[in-house]
Each structure stands twice: as C-alpha cells, then as structure tokens.
Amino acid sequence: MLAENLYTLRRMQRLTQEAVAEKIGVSRQAVAKWEAGETSPDIANCAALAELYGVSLDALVTFSAPVPGLPAPPRGKHLFGTAVLEEDGRVALPPKARQVFGLCPGDRLIVLGDEGQGIALVRETDLLQLLNGLRPDPAPEPPPKGGNDK
C-alpha cells in the first residue's frame, strides 16, 4: 500500500524521484527504495511526504485503491469504495461514509445531480442551513413619512 501510494502520488504530481528527495531532504535512492517497497520511510519522512502530496498521513500509509493507479485522496476528501444500485433504486452507503459524516437511519439526504459531473448526496439539514445563510437579511421597513395621518 505505502509503496504504491508513494509511486502513484509522485506520478500524479509529475515529480521526479530527485525532486521528491530534494524537497524532503533525503537521497533519490531512498525514494526509489520506498516506492519499490524495499524499505519504508520513517514517521518524520512519512509526515513530510503526506504534506508534500497534500494527503493525510493515514491515507498515505493505509489507503488501498479499489482501482489500480487511483491515488490516495487529498486531505479532507474520502474514497469510501463502491455502492450497488439495487433493482428498486436503493443504495446502501458504506459504513465508513456513514461514520465520517455522522449519518443515522432516518436522516434525510438530498440527491443532487449534474449530467457532466455526477451525483452528490447532501444531508437535508446541512443544505437548509447553507441556504438560510445565503438569504439576504430582510430589508428594513422605511420610516413613516410625515406626521399627518388622514
């Protein structure tokens, strides 16, 4: 996992082994051995590599791509695996997705779609909160004109 992640992330960033070595202060040979799985970087170098590649330390070390060549996700992003669309249209979210986002049975999710980008799920309460924050404050009522009531 770690060796594959190091190789894939470096290639995605279009960096050479020399460039990675220079940025974190090790030899090119060390980077080559890490990517080949012959040795592993120590924790300080893992942290430096995670920072360089913009991924969490956990993702760098433990991410296992469900599809070969898929890189570890950027910090704060997740790849939870696959979900199967059932005949009746139901989809079960992976347990880790439910855990990370605190989803519970009965939570209402809004399904958003963009034909070019795909489908997204948003918790109804989160979307409503966002939309309420975008509403302008109501305009103040104008002061009464003059003092003569008829």
Side-chain angles (χ1 to χ4, degrees):
M1 278 184 279
L2 175 60
E4 290 175 38
N5 291 338
L6 292 172
Y7 174 78
T8 302
L9 289 164
R10 179 179 61 78
R11 297 292 305 260
M12 292 287 294
Q13 298 266 335
R14 298 178 186 211
L15 294 171
T16 63
Q17 289 179 339
E18 292 84 5
V20 170
E22 184 178 310
K23 288 177 184 290
I24 66 167
V26 297
S27 69
R28 185 206 57 80
Q29 291 82 358
V31 174
K33 286 182 179 183
W34 297 339
E35 289 183 3
E38 294 173 20
T39 62
S40 295
D42 63 21
I43 192 69
N45 284 323
C46 280
L49 289 160
E51 181 69 26
L52 174 66
Y53 295 135
V55 299
S56 70
L57 184 55
D58 180 52
L60 178 71
V61 176
T62 64
F63 177 75
S64 180
V67 177
L70 195 62
R75 225 178 259 111
K77 309 290 184 195
H78 303 273
L79 178 62
F80 296 112
T82 59
V84 176
L85 179 65
E86 300 293 336
E87 285 289 324
D88 63 359
R90 288 183 297 154
V91 174
L93 298 177
K96 182 73 174 173
R98 295 191 310 262
Q99 176 192 359
V100 167
F101 291 100
L103 298 172
C104 299
D107 283 351
R108 293 174 58 90
L109 303 176
I110 296 178
V111 181
L112 305 173
D114 179 304
E115 291 180 13
Q117 298 290 320
I119 296 173
L121 300 175
V122 179
R123 190 187 337 235
E124 181 182 60
T125 54
D126 293 343
L127 184 60
L128 291 174
Q129 229 176 357
L130 174 68
L131 293 175
N132 284 330
L134 295 176
R135 287 188 183 145
D137 290 334
E141 293 194 27
K145 294 184 181 182
N148 47 348
D149 293 353
K150 291 190 180 182

